[in-house]
Amino acid sequence: MQDSSDVDLQDQRRRHYRAFAIAVGCLMVLLGVTALAGWLLQVEIIISLVPGFPSMAFNTALCFVLSGTGLAASTLTGRRFRITATMTAGLAAAFAAARLVEIVTIGRTFHNVDVLISRFLVPPAFIVQIGGGMGPNTALIFLIANLSLLLSLPVERKSQVVQELTSYVVMTLGMIALASYVTDAEQGYRWGPYAAMALHTAVGMVIFGAGLLARSWWMQPANRAQIPLWIPAAVCFTGLLVDLYTPLGVANGILYVPLVLTALWFGNRNAPLFFAFACTVLLMLGFFAVRHDEATFWQEIANRTITAATLWLIAILVFYFMRNNYNLETERVRFGALLRGTPDAVVVIDDRGTIRSFNPAAESMFGYSPQDTIGRNIKMLMPEPYHSEHDGYLAHYRQTGEERIIGTTRMVSGRRKNGIVFPIDVSISTVVTGDTKIFVGIVRDISERVRQEERMKATLAQLEAYTAELERSNHDLDEFAYIASHDLKEPLRGLHNHSRFLLEDYEDKLDVDGVRRLNRLVRLSQRMEKLVNDLLYFSRLGRQQLAVKRTDISLIVKDVVATMELLLEERHAKVIIDGRLPDVVCDAPRLTEVFRNLITNAIKYNDKPAPLVSIGYLDRFVGQDGTVARNVFFVRDNGKGIPQEFHEDIFRIFKRLEKSQDSEDGTGAGLTFVRKIIARHNGDIWLESEVGAGTTFYFTLGRKREGQNAAA
């Protein structure tokens, strides 16, 4: 990960490199235009600089103009600049390649490529007077330099190292030619019997190489060499000079070794292989640039072959070394990013307890900066008693190797910079590197978790208290139920019996009103006893365990209908099963009570001459209010219907909207029992009704309606 300052610095470097490359391109164009003007104006001093020195050929000047234009255009954005760079660099490479082919195939006495264009612009006499042409070293430089430029146009980053190494070769060959002029060593600027490189051509080549190098760094500044540019250039220059002046080229192999080793300072892992290639090229140039005696010819070939093999061996070793370093650096960067990004504190200590690493999460947790902690003992982050015991634990571990907390996660306490002690979870692991052993501690602040646990303990204590209170309340309710079932029923039975006795013994002595009142007293005492019984049943209904098992609902409905046969005949009523009823896991006696109550109410509170009750099952139900439910049973009648405002009141105990024809037999608790039983089955009950058309009760077993709560 790069911070903003690194990105800004990299952008600034890129701007500087591009500006330098553009400036070099402009200088090359200026040099070429000046030489072309010398040819066109027939000014010999401009073409050769010093009388008697080799002159810059017409095509050489033209290639400087084309190469400089291509170099400058390649650093500018826009399609037209890319096309310009491609065309100019391609033309320069074509001229250079044609000249090299001419030298190899025809020989040194022909300069057809050089005079191809100049003969139309320059008088033939002046061409003969100047003579010569583009030298093989000049043509080679223009060819490889412009080819590297062309290769880098479509995929810049992949060819950055190639162009960088090409720039070193270009500068080296230019510097060798300059040094040869200074030392009067003709073989440095004239390769064999062919045309030589002019003095200002050598200067231009050094400038050209510097421009290519700047462009390569502009493409990828992160991969630029971390060594001064003059070091590899000086090695190349010295190596080739020694190669030219040393018998059999014995010393040049030693001097090229440092050049391969400079690849260690490059960011690209392939750099040593490219350097080895460059050195091999220089070895070949050194061999072909001088004449050889027949006696030493094969000996020098063997020597250079061994030298090249040695350089490639060193390059391969450096390559693998750089690859391993790159992998280690990649892992280090990943580990560093993980260390910085993890939400847990990570503290690294040595076997003496000295802090070696302190990540940002640890800074936030403990309040110390890395400068405050690194180099100090880990005890500074510990309260007592851990503060005093830690050194003893480490000493014991060094002596015996016994691990007490390593490899485990322990809950201990930490101390912040402000002195606050807080709970933490610590997990410690050991990392061994050679003879060095370090300990990595992962620390997590569990203050919130501890507070949650404390709140949970308090909540559990409250629940235990509530449970005890509920058990006591249920016990009191059971006692009340026992009292109600015995003590309340006893006076009711007394009232009922004495009223019956009075009717039996004194009915003939009482008037009509007295008899009516005694009969009314008998009926009221009976109703009171039913109410007490229903109240007791309801109180026990929520506490009794359900005897659940898989049950065929069709059999339950048929059994209920069979027991109600007399009522159905009296009311001319009919009960039908609409479709298939599934098997469910339930308490069969309780579910029988549910269907009995619902069917009975559907018949009792029905004003039609032929009451009809339909019982069925729906896989999926969509209500009038949009609620959705699955696995729904229903009991539908064609009775009076229930107004919307009473849909909840009918489930209240002892609440009846009207008297049925058999109102003396009911207490109004039936639907209350139904809701309670269904709730015990984790289900829900609701109804839809249309006044005058009938009512449908829906209920589920073991599943609530979506968005609804089960009734209690």
Side-chain angles (χ1 to χ4, degrees):
M1 298 176 64
Q2 291 181 321
D3 55 26
S4 59
S5 60
D6 292 338
V7 175
D8 293 340
L9 180 60
Q10 195 173 94
D11 290 340
Q12 184 179 4
R13 287 176 177 175
R14 284 174 59 87
R15 289 193 295 269
H16 290 165
Y17 298 148
R18 183 171 69 171
F20 184 80
I22 294 174
V24 167
C26 294
L27 286 175
M28 291 174 62
V29 172
L30 179 61
L31 175 62
V33 169
T34 302
L36 289 175
W39 276 96
L40 296 176
L41 299 175
Q42 301 180 31
V43 181
E44 187 175 354
I45 190 67
I46 297 177
I47 302 174
S48 60
L49 288 184
V50 178
F53 275 23
S55 302
M56 181 185 295
F58 186 90
N59 279 9
T60 301
L62 184 59
C63 284
F64 268 119
V65 174
L66 294 174
S67 300
T69 303
L71 176 62
S74 67
T75 60
L76 301 175
T77 57
R79 186 169 178 269
R80 64 181 184 276
F81 294 112
R82 187 178 295 275
I83 293 174
T84 301
T86 303
M87 294 178 60
T88 54
L91 283 174
F95 284 134
R99 175 58 178 157
L100 286 175
V101 171
E102 183 182 49
I103 293 174
V104 173
T105 58
I106 299 178
R108 61 177 179 169
T109 58
F110 295 91
H111 304 286
N112 296 328
V113 176
D114 290 300
V115 300
L116 180 64
I117 300 176
S118 61
R119 64 182 179 179
F120 297 106
L121 302 174
V122 182
F126 186 72
I127 296 177
V128 174
Q129 177 185 344
I130 298 299
M134 183 186 293
N137 47 357
T138 304
L140 179 63
I141 291 174
F142 276 129
L143 178 61
I144 63 175
N146 284 284
L147 285 179
S148 70
L149 192 61
L150 288 172
L151 289 174
S152 67
L153 289 176
V155 281
E156 295 180 351
R157 297 191 181 278
K158 292 185 178 180
S159 56
Q160 184 267 343
V161 174
V162 176
Q163 188 168 99
E164 186 170 351
L165 294 174
T166 301
S167 66
Y168 290 141
V169 174
V170 171
M171 283 188 294
T172 300
L173 294 177
M175 292 172 64
I176 289 173
L178 287 176
S180 298
Y181 276 106
V182 174
T183 60
D184 197 22
E186 186 177 354
Q187 63 267 34
Y189 59 84
R190 184 189 303 274
W191 290 3
Y194 306 101
M197 181 186 294
L199 177 61
H200 43 339
T201 301
V203 174
M205 292 305 177
V206 174
I207 297 174
F208 192 13
L212 289 175
L213 183 63
R215 185 183 182 277
S216 70
W217 289 350
W218 165 73
M219 288 192 298
Q220 196 169 358
N223 262 9
R224 61 159 294 182
Q226 302 301 314
I227 59 173
L229 176 62
W230 59 268
I231 293 180
V235 172
C236 289
F237 172 70
T238 307
L240 190 55
L241 279 183
V242 173
D243 194 6
L244 295 174
Y245 290 99
T246 302
L248 304 181
V250 174
N252 69 303
I254 301 174
L255 291 174
Y256 285 136
V257 169
L259 178 60
V260 176
L261 293 178
T262 57
L264 292 169
W265 283 271
F266 283 76
N268 193 292
R269 290 172 292 171
N270 296 321
L273 303 180
F274 288 114
F275 272 120
F277 174 76
C279 292
T280 303
V281 172
L282 293 175
L283 280 171
M284 295 174 62
L285 291 177
F287 176 78
F288 290 109
V290 297
R291 296 179 179 178
H292 308 283
D293 296 332
E294 293 183 2
T296 60
F297 182 79
W298 292 107
Q299 185 179 358
E300 186 170 353
I301 288 180
N303 178 75
R304 290 181 183 272
T305 302
I306 295 173
T307 301
T310 304
L311 290 175
W312 277 99
L313 177 61
I314 295 174
I316 292 173
L317 294 176
V318 173
F319 168 78
Y320 281 107
F321 174 78
M322 293 180 65
R323 189 182 69 172
N324 293 337
N325 274 359
Y326 175 80
N327 293 336
L328 290 175
E329 180 65 16
T330 301
E331 292 301 323
R332 188 191 67 81
V333 171
R334 289 178 180 173
F335 178 75
L338 178 64
L339 199 64
R340 291 189 299 272
T342 180
D344 293 330
V346 180
V347 183
V348 180
I349 64 173
D350 58 19
D351 57 356
R352 299 289 175 180
T354 303
I355 299 175
R356 297 303 181 191
S357 178
F358 203 71
N359 75 331
E363 296 180 49
S364 177
M365 182 181 299
F366 291 97
Y368 291 99
S369 66
Q371 294 77 12
D372 297 332
T373 56
I374 293 178
R376 299 180 61 183
N377 195 287
I378 190 66
K379 294 190 302 182
M380 64 183 295
L381 306 178
M382 301 177 181
E384 293 294 347
Y386 310 107
H387 183 90
S388 301
E389 296 174 352
H390 187 263
D391 285 344
Y393 171 76
L394 282 180
H396 177 77
Y397 175 76
R398 288 194 300 268
Q399 294 174 1
T400 64
E402 179 183 355
E403 299 178 351
R404 297 178 182 175
I405 64 173
I406 295 174
T408 63
T409 300
R410 294 185 60 191
M411 178 178 173
V412 294
S413 297
R415 183 175 63 191
R416 305 188 200 274
K417 185 176 182 179
N418 56 12
I420 296 177
V421 177
F422 63 104
I424 57 176
D425 267 348
V426 179
S427 177
I428 301 176
S429 58
T430 306
V431 179
V432 180
T433 305
D435 296 333
T436 305
K437 182 178 293 186
I438 61 174
F439 304 95
V440 180
I442 300 176
V443 184
R444 177 170 296 178
D445 186 349
I446 59 172
S447 301
E448 183 60 29
R449 191 182 81 185
V450 171
R451 285 192 290 268
Q452 292 285 358
E453 290 176 353
E454 293 297 330
R455 286 195 289 266
M456 186 176 295
K457 289 179 181 178
T459 302
L460 289 175
Q462 291 179 350
L463 287 176
E464 290 177 355
Y466 292 155
T467 302
E469 180 65 21
L470 184 60
E471 290 177 353
R472 186 192 62 78
S473 177
N474 287 337
H475 178 71
D476 293 343
L477 185 60
D478 289 338
E479 290 186 351
F480 167 76
Y482 177 80
I483 294 173
S485 63
H486 291 79
D487 298 350
L488 291 182
K489 286 184 179 180
E490 184 177 353
L492 288 176
R493 292 194 187 98
L495 289 173
H496 177 268
N497 293 334
H498 285 292
S499 299
R500 295 292 301 272
F501 293 157
L502 288 173
L503 285 173
E504 292 176 359
D505 297 338
Y506 300 99
E507 184 177 4
D508 56 343
K509 298 179 181 179
L510 296 174
D511 57 11
V512 176
D513 186 60
V515 173
R516 182 180 62 79
R517 291 181 182 276
L518 283 175
N519 285 328
R520 180 64 175 169
L521 184 61
V522 170
R523 288 195 297 272
L524 289 176
S525 61
Q526 290 175 339
R527 176 171 173 76
M528 183 64 182
E529 186 173 2
K530 289 181 180 180
L531 291 174
V532 171
N533 288 335
D534 287 347
L535 184 61
L536 294 175
Y537 177 75
F538 180 74
S539 67
R540 293 171 180 171
L541 190 60
R543 302 195 307 276
Q544 293 176 344
Q545 294 294 327
L546 297 179
V548 295
K549 63 180 180 179
R550 183 163 293 279
T551 306
D552 187 348
I553 302 299
S554 299
L555 295 179
I556 290 180
V557 174
K558 291 176 181 179
D559 182 64
V560 171
V561 173
T563 59
M564 299 176 62
E565 184 177 354
L566 182 60
L567 176 63
L568 295 175
E569 290 179 357
E570 291 177 355
R571 298 298 177 87
H572 305 288
K574 186 177 181 181
V575 178
I576 63 173
I577 297 178
D578 186 1
R580 184 188 64 84
L581 298 180
D583 295 350
V584 296
V585 177
C586 64
D587 186 324
R590 294 286 183 263
L591 203 60
T592 300
E593 188 175 350
V594 168
F595 280 105
R596 179 179 290 109
N597 275 289
L598 293 176
I599 295 172
T600 301
N601 287 344
I603 296 174
K604 283 184 178 181
Y605 300 98
N606 197 306
D607 58 352
K608 303 299 188 295
L612 177 64
V613 181
S614 177
I615 300 173
Y617 172 81
L618 300 173
D619 291 327
R620 186 175 185 272
F621 166 82
V622 180
Q624 297 175 354
D625 57 353
T627 57
V628 179
R630 294 188 180 275
N631 305 320
V632 178
F633 294 92
F634 66 85
V635 177
R636 181 179 295 119
D637 64 62
N638 61 344
K640 300 178 180 180
I642 302 173
Q644 178 70 33
E645 60 268 22
F646 298 119
H647 283 192
E648 192 63 30
D649 291 344
I650 61 175
F651 292 105
R652 295 177 184 173
I653 193 169
F654 305 142
K655 177 69 175 180
R656 292 190 299 175
L657 300 183
E658 61 176 279
K659 294 182 180 180
S660 71
Q661 299 178 20
D662 298 326
S663 61
E664 300 296 337
D665 298 330
T667 63
L671 289 178
T672 306
F673 297 158
V674 168
R675 171 177 275 190
K676 190 69 174 180
I677 293 170
I678 291 175
R680 289 296 308 280
H681 284 79
N682 295 322
D684 191 10
I685 183 170
W686 67 99
L687 69 145
E688 292 181 353
S689 181
E690 182 180 352
V691 176
T695 302
T696 304
F697 283 88
Y698 299 95
F699 65 91
T700 59
L701 299 174
R703 193 175 304 228
K704 304 183 181 117
R705 284 190 297 162
E706 295 178 9
Q708 300 288 329
N709 294 320

